[in-house]
Amino acid sequence: MAFSLGPRAASAGYRLAVFDRIGSTNTEALVRARTGETGPIWLVTAEQTAGRGRRQRSWISPRGNLASSVLEVIDTSPAVAATLSFAAGLALEAALQAVSLEARMRSPVSEKVTFHLKWPNDVLAGGRKLAGILLEAEVVARDRLAVVVGIGTNVVAAPEGMPYPAVALRDLGIDIGAEDLFRALTEAWAEFRAIWDMGRGFGEIRRLWLDRAAGVGQQVSVQSGQSMVSGLFDTIDKNGCLIVATSDGTRVAVSAGDVYFGTAASVGAT
Ligand SMILES: O=C(O)CCCC[C@@H]1SC[C@@H]2NC(=O)N[C@@H]21
C-alpha cells in the first residue's frame, strides 16, 4: 500500500511528498521552506534515519512506524503558530481513534484503547507514550512564517531504553499500517487546522484538547530547564501554557517543559 492524502486534505489544497528513507521529514520541510516551498504540503517517509524530537532528543522511527510532517507557510506570529501543535494533537488522536475502530471491526477480539493527550503534545495510550509532535517555525521570505508540524507514531515498534514508558499500536493489538494512519491523519489535520483558523479558533481547540488531556486536576511536576514547579494541573491558558496551581496558592504558567505525573519526579516523563 502506498502513502496517500485523504479526500478532504486533497481538496483543501495539500500536496504530498513521499520518501522511502530520509533523515528527518521536519528537516526536509524546513529546507524546502527556505528555498521557496510555500505549502501546504505533507512529507511522509517509510523510514526515518535521523529523526528529531523535542528538546534536542533523537526520535527513532524504523520502517513500519509513521514519520510525517506538514508544512504551512502563514502570516502569523511564532506564539500563535505554537498553538497549532494542540490542533495537531487533536488530529492525531482523532486519526488514531478512526484507525483503531477500523482494526477492531476487522478483528473484534481486540480491546478498545483510549488515547490521551499529554501537555504539550504527546499522545499516550494506557499511560505510555505512543506518539510525539515537534513543531518548528522559521521566518522565511517576505516575513512569512514557515511552520512545520512533525508527527511521529509508534505503529509497529516502540523504542527501547527510553527514560519513559513507550508503546506501539501493535503492542496494543491494533494491527494497522502506517499508510492507513497517515491518510486518516491528513483528513483529521484538515479538519482541526480549519477549526484553529490562524489562531482565531484556539478557544475551541483548547476546549477539545482539555477534554482529552491526561492528568487535569492531578498532581504534576513540570521541569523547565533547571527549574521544577509542582502542584495541580489546573488548565492550559489562551496561549497554550500549562497552568500549575501550587500549594502556596499561586498559579504558575509554564510555556515549555516536561511533565511528570504524580509527586515523584522520576517517573512518567515523556
Ligand atoms: O515527542 C517528541 O519529542 C517529538 C517527536 C517528533 C518526531 C517526528 S517524526 C516526523 C518528524 N520528523 C522529525 O525529525 N521529527 C518529527
Side-chain angles (χ1 to χ4, degrees):
M1 191 175 168
F3 287 107
S4 62
L5 298 173
R8 182 173 183 160
S11 65
Y14 285 82
R15 288 173 288 119
L16 175 63
V18 180
F19 303 88
D20 181 59
R21 179 190 291 156
I22 197 169
S24 157
T25 53
N26 263 40
T27 302
E28 175 69 18
L30 286 168
V31 167
R32 288 185 178 211
R34 285 179 207 131
T35 51
E37 171 65 64
T38 55
I41 183 169
W42 277 98
L43 298 91
V44 63
T45 186
E47 184 183 352
Q48 185 172 251
T49 55
R52 296 184 285 108
R54 292 192 309 116
R55 304 167 85 76
Q56 281 80 52
R57 295 175 184 133
S58 62
W59 180 265
I60 298 161
S61 191
R63 197 164 286 271
N65 280 3
L66 179 60
S68 61
S69 302
V70 59
L71 166 67
E72 309 250 353
V73 180
I74 50 182
D75 284 316
T76 193
S77 68
V80 171
T83 65
L84 197 47
S85 70
F86 294 92
L90 286 168
L92 182 54
E93 193 264 349
L96 287 164
Q97 292 285 3
V99 294
S100 313
L101 185 66
E102 281 166 25
R104 286 183 69 222
M105 281 161 60
R106 281 197 307 272
S107 169
V109 286
S110 57
E111 286 184 20
K112 185 173 188 322
V113 176
T114 307
F115 304 103
H116 285 103
L117 300 174
K118 183 180 179 200
W119 188 91
N121 36 37
D122 291 337
V123 178
L124 306 181
R128 293 181 284 172
K129 180 160 172 167
L130 176 68
I133 295 169
L134 175 66
L135 183 144
E136 298 181 293
E138 200 170 290
V139 174
V140 289
R142 288 171 280 117
D143 287 344
R144 283 163 59 80
L145 194 68
V147 184
V148 175
V149 185
I151 302 173
T153 308
N154 303 328
V155 177
V156 295
E160 290 175 7
M162 304 308 285
Y164 52 80
V167 70
L169 288 172
R170 182 174 284 176
D171 304 328
L172 301 165
I174 301 169
D175 189 17
I176 55 121
E179 296 86 352
D180 301 313
L181 179 59
F182 176 71
R183 192 176 164 87
L185 176 61
T186 65
E187 287 298 90
W189 173 266
E191 180 188 341
F192 287 100
R193 163 73 173 80
I195 296 172
W196 180 75
D197 187 21
M198 302 298 285
R200 288 181 286 268
F202 184 61
E204 174 69 357
I205 293 291
R206 174 180 172 274
R207 190 184 64 72
L208 294 168
W209 190 92
L210 282 166
D211 277 351
R212 293 156 180 76
V216 180
Q218 295 175 17
Q219 186 73 33
V220 290
S221 293
V222 192
Q223 180 146 34
S224 188
Q226 294 301 315
S227 70
M228 176 82 91
V229 51
S230 296
L232 294 183
F233 175 3
D234 184 12
T235 189
I236 60 170
D237 71 8
K238 62 179 175 33
N239 303 311
C241 292
L242 177 71
I243 305 297
V244 180
T246 64
S247 55
D248 65 6
T250 53
R251 292 172 87 249
V252 181
V254 185
S255 60
D258 286 323
V259 171
Y260 300 75
F261 292 125
T263 46
S266 57
V267 290
T270 60

